[in-house]
Amino acid sequence: HEVNDINEVSERIMSIPTSDVTVLSASNTVGPGTFVSSSLKYIRLTNLDDTNFLRLSFISGSESSANTADFKLDPSRTMMFTNTLFSGSADSKSFNQFSGFTALKASADTASVDLEIFVAST
């Protein structure tokens, strides 16, 4: 699969502790650790540990009314997505409880884990 129109790339490895840390944010404006939502083309998250998993928490909405979608990223595994616009629900009737993410937080299982973050945008 080819992703076109990439003008900016950000790549880093973060040591993730066993408590929640913000690894990236998505917004209408750029800032420290923040990417413009509409410009995101490709995000790849790789758990570089060979033993411990990571909990990835995608946050939707503002702090006061945030919804969260949690995913387990097993050791030596990768998660990829091509924009911030995915939706989900705690029940099977509606997908409007979680709609796009504005922040991504991570926490390690039992010991710190290195997380590789690769972001490509226009």
Side-chain angles (χ1 to χ4, degrees):
H1 179 75
E2 186 174 314
V3 180
N4 296 314
D5 302 322
I6 300 299
N7 294 323
E8 298 179 19
V9 171
S10 174
E11 183 176 15
R12 73 184 284 198
I13 296 174
M14 290 180 68
S15 181
I16 307 298
T18 56
S19 58
D20 275 345
V21 294
T22 300
V23 297
L24 68 87
S25 297
S27 177
N28 292 331
T29 57
V30 70
T34 303
F35 299 88
V36 177
S37 302
S38 61
S39 296
L40 290 171
K41 292 287 198 168
Y42 176 84
I43 300 171
R44 183 181 70 230
L45 307 167
T46 302
N47 181 347
L48 299 176
D49 199 83
D50 59 1
T51 306
N52 297 295
F53 70 83
L54 283 166
R55 175 183 300 271
L56 300 175
S57 298
F58 293 85
I59 313 299
S60 172
S62 65
E63 294 242 354
S64 62
S65 63
N67 290 309
T68 304
D70 291 332
F71 295 90
K72 181 179 180 182
L73 185 58
D74 285 323
S76 303
R77 299 292 184 199
T78 296
M79 174 184 271
M80 296 176 284
F81 44 101
T82 57
N83 62 51
T84 63
L85 302 174
F86 55 90
S87 62
S89 175
D91 61 45
S92 60
K93 299 182 193 290
S94 170
F95 284 102
N96 62 358
Q97 290 178 328
F98 183 96
S99 182
F101 74 89
T102 54
L104 171 60
K105 296 184 178 190
S107 61
D109 174 32
T110 57
S112 292
V113 169
D114 284 341
L115 172 66
E116 180 183 38
I117 305 160
F118 182 90
V119 179
S121 59
T122 58

